[in-house]
Amino acid sequence: IYPLDASFDDAESVPESVSQSKRYRAFDKFSISEVAEKVKADFGRVDGVVHALANGPEVAKPLLQTSRAGYLSAVSSSAFSLVSIARHFAPLMTDGGAFVSLSYLAAERAVAGYGGGMSSAKAALESDTRTLAYELGRLAEYSSNEASDAALTKRPLRINCISAGPLASRAAKAIGGPSAGAATVDSRTFIEKAIDYSENNAPLRRRLVSDDVGSVAAFLLSDLSSGVTGCTLHVDNGLANMGLALDSASLQPPAEQ
């Protein structure tokens, strides 16, 4: 287990106020490039990388109340971190290596309560996945004037994204609640409401579990998906396909007069 803060690309980007803080003082080399160097020293090569991290310091705030700093922090930690990880880990990848990241439906639909710029961060993550699919797939052709690019592998690599349905993970529980715009008092957290909504409205009326997402990630990292790259695959019991909320009061029989 390596300590990692994906907000920082290299040691030079870590402010002294952070590196010398109580939280970080016990660790060294926790930026993305430094962790990549540790992995190379310990293992040499890697077959796949899963980007399963996100942070929005103001995620509980509606977008209109989100500060510029909070918004940019969400995009930096949750989206650009994938770009940086792909850049620094690509040289370590074996033939047929692949990257997988995790997104959420708020990247493409309005989801009240998922604020702080996190919906924009997830949209950026999915968009970057498509662009990175081209650049990682054509590393032998893609070049720039930066000397550091010479270290990139010339083997084609793949990258895909999983848009997972609501899971009661520790990170999801941190969003809190109640959701923004709630018409009535409801003590449930954002993720509790999202899970209830999914179970009532998704084509598959079952609770999503982590193995559902993990199995698809394993597929996308394996040679079984060798022809798949740049895709965002929904693993949400089919919820993203629905256009009507089946449990909406508007769809219920009218009350007798």
Side-chain angles (χ1 to χ4, degrees):
I1 298 176
Y2 305 95
L4 168 68
D5 190 324
S7 300
F8 306 111
D9 298 322
D10 48 44
E12 290 72 25
S13 64
V14 182
E16 185 176 354
S17 59
V18 172
S19 62
Q20 297 303 314
S21 66
K22 182 178 180 180
R23 181 179 182 184
Y24 288 85
R25 197 178 303 140
F27 304 106
D28 66 342
K29 299 183 178 181
F30 52 79
S31 68
I32 292 173
S33 62
E34 291 172 310
V35 171
E37 291 172 0
K38 288 183 179 180
V39 172
K40 181 180 180 180
D42 291 344
F43 299 99
R45 293 285 186 182
V46 293
D47 298 313
V49 175
V50 177
H51 177 279
L53 59 91
N55 182 54
E58 300 180 17
V59 66
K61 291 184 179 180
L63 186 58
L64 280 173
Q65 297 176 13
T66 299
S67 69
R68 181 183 294 269
Y71 184 99
L72 294 177
S73 177
V75 174
S76 173
S77 298
S78 309
F80 185 77
S81 57
L82 173 66
V83 178
S84 184
I85 285 174
R87 177 179 177 83
H88 289 98
F89 278 84
L92 310 185
M93 302 293 278
T94 57
D95 289 333
F99 295 87
V100 172
S101 64
L102 294 178
S103 187
Y104 177 53
L105 186 63
E108 53 188 300
R109 301 282 191 273
V111 178
Y114 194 73
M118 280 304 302
S119 56
S120 304
K122 291 301 186 183
L125 184 78
E126 295 184 12
S127 177
D128 290 342
T129 294
R130 293 186 287 273
T131 303
L132 288 171
Y134 168 75
E135 295 184 2
L136 291 170
R138 301 219 181 172
L139 283 173
E141 304 170 24
Y142 185 80
S143 64
S144 77
N145 293 324
E146 293 188 27
S148 58
D149 281 343
L152 287 172
T153 175
K154 300 305 179 183
R155 297 181 299 276
L157 304 174
R158 299 183 299 108
I159 184 169
N160 291 287
C161 184
I162 295 174
S163 182
L167 284 164
S169 64
R170 186 170 67 173
K173 291 176 181 177
I175 298 175
S179 299
T184 58
V185 176
D186 192 333
S187 61
R188 290 176 298 165
T189 63
F190 169 85
I191 192 61
E192 289 171 339
K193 290 180 181 180
I195 290 172
D196 289 345
Y197 179 88
S198 178
E199 291 183 3
N200 285 316
N201 293 287
L204 301 178
R205 300 196 65 178
R206 57 184 288 274
R207 179 158 294 206
L208 194 72
V209 296
S210 58
D211 280 356
D212 296 326
V213 179
S215 296
V216 174
F219 162 71
L220 291 174
L221 290 169
S222 75
D223 290 340
L224 293 174
S225 60
S226 58
V228 181
T229 193
C231 293
T232 296
L233 182 59
H234 292 93
V235 182
D236 60 358
N237 289 328
L239 183 64
N241 298 312
M242 300 300 294
L244 283 176
L246 301 178
D247 61 352
S248 170
S250 302
L251 301 182
Q252 307 309 312
E256 295 184 3
Q257 299 296 329

